[in-house]
Amino acid sequence: MRGSISALLYTSIAHFSNDGNLLIFPVLIDYYRSFNVSFIILGFGAVIYNLVSGFFSIVVGKVADTVNRDSILIFLGIFIQGISISIFSLAFVMGSLVNILVISGTALFGLGQSFYHPLGGSVLNNSFSGKPYGTALGINSSTGSVGRSVVPLMFALILPSFGITNSLYTVSLYEIAAAFLIFFGLRNFRRTKVSKKEEKVRSAERSSGSFSFIYVLMMVVFVRSLYTMGISTFLPYYLDIITNKPDLATIIISSAYLSPIAGQMVFGYLTPLWGGKRVITVTGILSIISIIFFLIDHQLIVLIASLASFAFFVFSGFPILIGYVRELAPQSVSTTANSLVWGVGSTVGGAVGIALFTILYQVENFGLDRSMWVLVIIGVVSVMMIPLLPKRRIAPE
């Protein structure tokens, strides 16, 4: 039990650190624009870090399932992100290299982001079983939501005193320190070994229909993330345009994104109880309703409430997807399955959504609102695909 609590503690610190960075670049888009950085470059940068993160997570998953050294891999992911944030800061003091620094920083950031989600889910999968697993996944995911809300807010608060370069350096140093803490905290963790006979059985399960559903889930998540990430990446920019106050936009985002802290706990509990398919259906429908209210009514209270609702259903995806993967895939290939669903489905799908928004808005001149509405329609399509998913548990406990 002590080992399980330790695994939960340090993976939660990792989730806080990892997800705390997710809004850093979207928030920086406004500030880079003040330096006359092309919107195409910024959109391309966002696409790059999602593509790199998504595709490299497959490599991470396969390596993790082979070497059984999750502590080192999680350390690398957080450490690399700390270095990438330093590169983001250099773009503000080396103006002639700003485009190169933005692209290289986002590529390195994407590499760092490819590690945690498949690894954290597998560590918890190996440390907990039954109902405690859902609870642990919810607690772990909530800390990620706290990070996603708190880190950008802290960045906005220290910015007037520290300046943008020193503020980014502060975040960078925190990430590097957290990486070392996580490594030492998880250094003794090893996944439970299985017999050769059991490994053969699980390998057979992987090649059977039980693992094929992972690819179906990956495709559903891909289309859903095309919609959610395409919208959420440019929410700070959208709010800046309609409020004309970048600092207010950051505060609205940070305040609204507190809601997934509770959402992660709720869906961590409900996913094992209801099943992944039902929870994915409910959150998909309600996220679309929430963003529709956000787009049609720009009163401050409606903006905050609808965005908080959207974030509640969209950014509580970790316990839902990782919990559902556990229903479908054998434990021996859990990290590989997680990387396919989270890395390719969620992250690469998000990259396509970001690219689509950038093209619609900047190249085709659809306008900000119309570009958002195209993504909402894609979100409706993703909900219509959910019946393709299985209802029952496929993989054994």
Side-chain angles (χ1 to χ4, degrees):
M1 186 65 183
R2 183 177 179 181
S4 298
I5 298 301
S6 178
L8 175 60
L9 172 63
Y10 289 105
T11 56
S12 295
I13 294 172
H15 209 157
F16 178 94
S17 303
N18 187 84
D19 283 22
N21 296 327
L22 286 175
L23 293 176
I24 290 293
F25 187 73
V27 167
L28 287 176
I29 286 176
D30 284 333
Y31 296 96
Y32 283 134
R33 287 290 285 165
S34 67
F35 278 70
N36 295 318
V37 181
S38 167
F39 192 91
I40 296 292
I41 291 291
L42 297 173
F44 186 52
V47 170
I48 284 177
Y49 76 70
N50 279 278
L51 284 178
V52 171
S53 174
F55 285 121
F56 198 78
S57 68
I58 301 174
V59 177
V60 172
K62 290 181 178 179
V63 170
D65 283 334
T66 302
V67 303
N68 198 8
R69 291 295 186 272
D70 296 288
S71 60
I72 295 175
L73 294 173
I74 294 175
F75 161 81
L76 282 174
I78 304 300
F79 182 85
I80 289 170
Q81 289 178 64
I83 299 301
S84 71
I85 293 172
S86 292
I87 294 176
F88 288 149
S89 68
L90 288 176
F92 291 99
V93 295
M94 302 175 68
S96 61
L97 298 176
V98 63
N99 289 344
I100 295 173
L101 289 170
V102 167
I103 297 302
S104 59
T106 51
L108 195 62
F109 180 73
L111 179 64
Q113 279 280 317
S114 66
F115 286 81
Y116 176 73
H117 285 109
L119 292 167
S122 294
V123 171
L124 294 175
N125 188 13
N126 199 263
S127 302
F128 294 88
S129 60
K131 290 184 179 179
Y133 172 71
T135 302
L137 205 55
I139 293 170
N140 175 273
S141 304
S142 292
T143 61
S145 294
V146 173
R148 188 165 46 234
S149 179
V150 168
V151 172
L153 182 60
M154 290 178 60
F155 175 75
L157 292 175
I158 67 175
L159 188 60
S161 299
F162 281 48
I164 193 161
T165 303
N166 289 332
S167 297
L168 287 170
Y169 279 143
T170 302
V171 177
S172 173
L173 289 173
Y174 159 74
E175 292 293 329
I176 293 171
F180 281 99
L181 175 64
I182 293 159
F183 170 73
F184 286 112
L186 291 175
R187 69 187 184 280
N188 294 324
F189 173 81
R190 295 292 184 276
R191 302 189 201 183
T192 304
K193 293 184 178 180
V194 298
S195 66
K196 290 184 178 180
K197 181 179 179 180
E198 187 177 358
E199 188 64 42
K200 288 181 180 179
V201 172
R202 290 178 173 180
S203 296
E205 289 169 346
R206 178 180 178 181
S207 62
S208 70
S210 64
F211 199 81
S212 67
F213 283 113
I214 293 299
Y215 294 102
V216 178
L217 176 59
M218 182 186 74
M219 289 306 302
V220 173
V221 172
F222 183 96
V223 178
R224 173 173 168 150
S225 294
L226 197 153
Y227 137 69
T228 58
M229 287 301 297
I231 287 178
S232 60
T233 298
F234 296 103
L235 280 175
Y237 178 76
Y238 183 89
L239 285 168
D240 178 35
I241 294 297
I242 64 176
T243 64
N244 199 28
K245 296 178 180 178
D247 292 340
L248 177 61
T250 302
I251 292 172
I252 290 174
I253 290 286
S254 296
S255 301
Y257 279 25
L258 288 170
S259 63
I261 297 172
Q264 306 275 17
M265 294 292 294
V266 170
F267 295 120
Y269 173 79
L270 288 179
T271 299
L273 189 67
W274 286 3
K277 180 177 182 177
R278 182 180 297 179
V279 177
I280 289 173
T281 303
V282 170
T283 56
I285 293 171
L286 294 180
S287 73
I288 291 169
I289 294 172
S290 301
I291 203 66
I292 287 174
F293 276 102
F294 177 83
L295 292 173
I296 64 177
D297 193 333
H298 292 167
Q299 296 181 71
L300 183 60
I301 187 65
V302 176
L303 286 174
I304 295 174
S306 57
L307 186 55
S309 178
F310 174 76
F312 182 85
F313 296 114
V314 167
F315 291 105
S316 300
F318 183 74
I320 300 170
L321 296 179
I322 300 302
Y324 193 28
V325 166
R326 181 174 178 163
E327 295 180 24
L328 304 180
Q331 183 173 302
S332 60
V333 291
S334 62
T335 313
T336 302
N338 289 342
S339 66
L340 285 170
V341 173
W342 191 270
V344 178
S346 181
T347 311
V348 176
V352 175
I354 295 166
L356 177 61
F357 181 91
T358 303
I359 292 169
L360 290 174
Y361 176 53
Q362 199 69 20
V363 179
E364 298 297 329
N365 296 315
F366 260 48
L368 198 55
D369 282 298
R370 285 182 65 194
S371 300
M372 289 281 190
W373 281 109
V374 170
L375 295 180
V376 173
I377 292 171
I378 293 173
V380 173
V381 172
S382 74
V383 172
M384 295 171 64
M385 294 174 63
I386 292 176
L388 297 172
L389 299 173
K391 293 181 181 179
R392 61 187 177 86
R393 184 181 299 275
I394 302 296
E397 287 284 352

